[in-house]
Amino acid sequence: MKEEFADAEVFIRELREEDYGALVALWREGGLPYRPQGRDGREALARQLKEDTAVYLVAEAGGTFVGAVLGSHDGHKGWINRLVVHPDYSRRNVGAMLVADVERRLAARGIGIFACLVEDWNEGSKAFFEKIGYKPFRGVSYFTKRKSDDV
Ligand SMILES: CC(C)(COP(=O)(O)OP(=O)(O)OC[C@H]1O[C@@H](n2cnc3c(N)ncnc32)[C@H](O)[C@@H]1OP(=O)(O)O)[C@@H](O)C(=O)NCCC(=O)NCCS
């Protein structure tokens, strides 16, 4: 990333369908694996964006994506998904701002509890969520059922 981007002001806005390519580039640069044939594909994202439960946000600086988060709610809880910050912008509060914005928008829809799933190896992400007020919840096993390996 060029020097001028590293100093540019960060602002947060809603993700749009046409942002897909830039979002994927950010996922790559931020080291977030994605499933282009499944739930992270272009068509899947377009469908998700039409749901009124989706709060999908990007952080931009100097016209470049420096962070993103896919928030949502299921009526009971708000979920923080696919949070990523460009390495050139890490530890500059971008992740915290993105999560706070999702929480604010979901709280306006009546949601009072927020959650995220973090893989055990991801010490940085666990430290991040603890720092912004999330408490680890022990004693839960995560079960999934998939239509296919790609989904
Ligand atoms: C996790 C991630 C989103 C954090 O984003 P960020 O913008 O760098 O985080 P912030 O600057 O808002 O951090 C706020 C506070 O959280 C804590 N924190 C953030 N990253 C941390 C890390 N790697 N190790 C320890 N503490 C960390 C710090 O206390 C930090 O405050 P400080 O910098 O003043 O000490 C980012 O590192 C990332 O994109 N990681 C790769 C993708 C990923 O793992 N996503 C999460 C999937 S569940």
Side-chain angles (χ1 to χ4, degrees), residues 69-95:
V69 62
L70 308 188
S72 63
H73 77 84
D74 58 19
H76 283 271
K77 289 191 182 76
W79 290 94
I80 309 297
N81 276 306
R82 301 202 64 75
L83 174 67
V84 65
V85 171
H86 191 288
D88 288 357
Y89 270 78
S90 72
R91 306 300 286 265
R92 291 172 64 171
N93 218 35
V94 175

Side-chain angles (χ1 to χ4, degrees), residues 30-33 66 68 80-87 89-99 116-119 121-132:
L32 211 55
V66 297
I80 309 297
N81 276 306
R82 301 202 64 75
L83 174 67
V84 65
V85 171
H86 191 288
Y89 270 78
S90 72
R91 306 300 286 265
R92 291 172 64 171
N93 218 35
V94 175
M97 285 193 297
L98 282 165
V99 175
C116 65
L117 298 170
V118 181
E119 290 175 278
W121 59 264
N122 197 341
E123 297 297 339
S125 184
K126 288 194 287 186
F128 165 79
F129 277 105
E130 288 213 48
K131 178 69 182 191
I132 64 167

